[in-house]
Amino acid sequence: MLFRSMTSAAGMAAGVCAAGLALWGCGAEVTGQVATPPAGSPSATSDQRAVGAPQDDRCRTADLDVGLGSEANHDMRGTHLPLQFTNTGSQACTLHGAPGVSYVTGEGGEQIGLPATRETDGPVVTLAPGQTASAGLFESSAPLKTPDCRRVDVGGLRVYPPGSTDPVFVAEDAVACEPPMNGPFLGVGPVEPGPDNTGL
């Protein structure tokens, strides 16, 4: 399980939550928000096309293999790992911005908690066939540190590649909380060249 607590001291949980983990969902109010599609191997390349440039060459979900990289980093807040996008098509395509990501109960299952916060400012990334780019994904450890959290087992991630309305399911073992402590417990950055981006 990639989603690990970096401390098991329950006595620190409330203080940590009040000091900063509230940003990631401690005591968040239920809003009923549902994840929506975002607007918008070897290393990929990038260019600086304007945000309003034509997107006819953007990568289709059907031509992408989406998964989690193995190079995870851990800190007091949680786990940082790369969410990878590999072009499995026969032509080059582009990705721009951050994907939409949410926890779900399983493939085709219900969303758990609020969708990931997104940092969308990134380059236009061109993926040749077989190339991989990645977005930094953050999984908060707050559910494991918060005494009042009624834990919910996560079956995976629902991921909308940038510019796509067709989601992909990525299997992942994690833990979230039932409302009202329903997050967000995820954060994601823009897609950037290279398979191992973990920064946010």
Side-chain angles (χ1 to χ4, degrees):
M1 177 184 295
L2 285 173
F3 193 81
R4 302 184 179 89
S5 168
M6 300 309 300
T7 175
S8 60
M12 294 176 57
V16 172
C17 219
L21 284 175
L23 178 63
W24 294 103
C26 296
E29 182 178 352
V30 179
T31 65
Q33 183 177 358
V34 176
T36 56
S41 83
S43 297
T45 59
S46 67
D47 61 52
Q48 298 300 319
R49 268 182 287 181
V51 174
Q55 294 293 308
D56 293 339
D57 60 348
R58 64 188 172 193
C59 300
R60 302 181 307 159
T61 299
D63 293 328
L64 290 171
D65 180 36
V66 183
L68 296 172
S70 59
E71 298 298 320
N73 298 316
H74 308 278
D75 59 28
M76 292 295 293
R77 295 168 58 233
T79 301
H80 304 258
L81 64 166
L83 180 59
Q84 298 176 332
F85 300 86
T86 301
N87 182 3
T88 59
S90 59
Q91 297 182 339
C93 62
T94 63
L95 292 171
H96 178 245
V101 183
S102 61
Y103 280 141
V104 290
T105 55
E107 187 166 7
E110 296 182 359
Q111 181 173 316
I112 300 173
L114 299 176
T117 59
R118 298 166 60 231
E119 295 182 11
T120 59
D121 188 18
V124 175
V125 179
T126 299
L127 285 176
Q131 286 187 325
T132 299
S134 57
L137 179 69
F138 170 73
E139 296 180 331
S140 174
S141 59
L144 296 175
K145 297 176 178 179
T146 307
D148 293 334
C149 171
R150 291 178 293 176
R151 295 177 184 174
V152 178
D153 290 331
V154 170
L157 304 168
R158 180 173 292 138
V159 178
Y160 291 91
S164 177
T165 58
D166 297 322
V168 174
F169 174 75
V170 178
E172 168 73 331
D173 292 328
V175 175
C177 300
E178 292 182 0
M181 296 183 179
N182 60 337
F185 298 119
L186 292 166
V188 67
V191 175
E192 298 186 25
D196 297 318
N197 294 303
T198 59
L200 201 57

